[in-house]
Amino acid sequence: MLLWIRGALTPQEIHDRIMDLESDIVLKKVEYLESVHMGEFITGSLENVKKNVDIAELDDEYKNPTETLPISPSLQCNQNECGECKSCKAINLWQTQFNSTVNDILFQSNLHKCTKGIKQYEKKKLKHKDKNIVNKYQPVTSYLSNKWGKCKGHFPPKTFEHTKVDMNNDALNIKKKKNLYLIL
């Protein structure tokens, strides 16, 4: 049973308003999505973040942020962020650590490795052929395991200087200036 509310928009009218590039709905939606989605690291390039993560991992007290709980921020300053008190200094230190932790998590979770597959299986099998190891190395399927040998994960993703609405497939392509993904 379909219940229709008098004066309500039809599904086609809703679709048309959402897809109207000049409508207030679309402009606010794009503004919100761009405010919460960067598509890149917070504090630098992939090379800088990799270098910082490599240095951090050398420290004996380093903990992988993907395996730990986040650290909560300190209490806010009572003097409207004076910048001089202990509270302000603690917040600034926490913000620096937060940025570093987010970059570390992005670095560890957004690297795409699509090269494993039949070639690596054959290479391992040939390497250990003389040792009579049976079925130790099972073929590993990967994003490249198809007849074209192209990545099924669609990596690297496209980059966009500005957020665009693709009217052909009703997609919203969010602004992403640099390709965050590294293909190994």
Side-chain angles (χ1 to χ4, degrees):
M1 177 171 149
L2 179 63
L3 176 65
W4 204 262
I5 300 172
R6 183 179 294 153
L9 299 173
T10 65
Q12 184 61 46
E13 290 171 331
I14 293 170
H15 176 268
D16 292 344
R17 285 191 183 183
I18 288 174
M19 296 311 296
D20 178 15
L21 299 178
E22 302 300 320
S23 76
D24 195 37
I25 293 173
V26 172
L27 295 176
K28 286 185 177 181
K29 178 173 61 171
V30 168
E31 182 182 335
Y32 168 74
L33 289 172
E34 285 181 341
S35 73
V36 298
H37 175 77
M38 287 179 67
E40 50 198 57
F41 293 108
I42 292 176
T43 60
S45 67
L46 176 65
E47 294 79 23
N48 290 341
V49 171
K50 180 178 180 358
K51 184 178 89 176
N52 292 339
V53 168
D54 289 343
I55 290 169
E57 287 176 339
L58 294 175
D59 187 1
D60 291 336
E61 294 184 17
Y62 172 79
K63 293 179 183 164
N64 186 335
T66 63
E67 300 171 353
T68 60
L69 293 172
I71 299 169
S72 60
S74 301
L75 296 175
Q76 290 288 348
C77 174
N78 294 334
Q79 301 169 6
N80 275 341
E81 301 176 23
C82 66
E84 301 297 323
C85 67
K86 285 183 182 180
S87 191
C88 285
K89 290 178 182 176
I91 287 287
N92 289 339
L93 177 63
W94 176 84
Q95 186 66 50
T96 303
Q97 290 173 336
F98 173 81
N99 291 346
S100 176
T101 301
V102 169
N103 282 343
D104 193 345
I105 291 170
L106 288 173
F107 179 76
Q108 292 189 38
S109 61
N110 286 334
L111 297 181
H112 178 69
K113 194 171 192 175
C114 60
T115 56
K116 288 187 177 177
I118 300 300
K119 290 178 185 175
Q120 281 72 22
Y121 165 68
E122 293 296 332
K123 190 186 285 186
K124 284 182 182 178
K125 205 165 86 172
L126 285 174
K127 182 179 177 182
H128 299 286
K129 186 170 92 174
D130 300 331
K131 297 180 182 176
N132 290 332
I133 300 173
V134 180
N135 292 329
K136 180 175 180 181
Y137 298 106
Q138 296 297 321
V140 178
T141 59
S142 74
Y143 287 100
L144 293 176
S145 303
N146 56 53
K147 65 183 179 181
W148 302 282
K150 292 187 177 181
C151 181
K152 295 184 281 186
H154 304 289
F155 283 89
K158 295 178 183 176
T159 57
F160 302 95
E161 285 294 318
H162 306 287
T163 299
K164 298 176 185 173
V165 177
D166 184 352
M167 297 303 282
N168 294 332
N169 59 8
D170 295 341
L172 184 64
N173 298 317
I174 301 290
K175 171 179 70 174
K176 190 180 341 173
K177 294 180 183 174
K178 294 180 183 175
N179 199 341
L180 178 65
Y181 301 90
L182 175 65
I183 313 258
L184 300 174

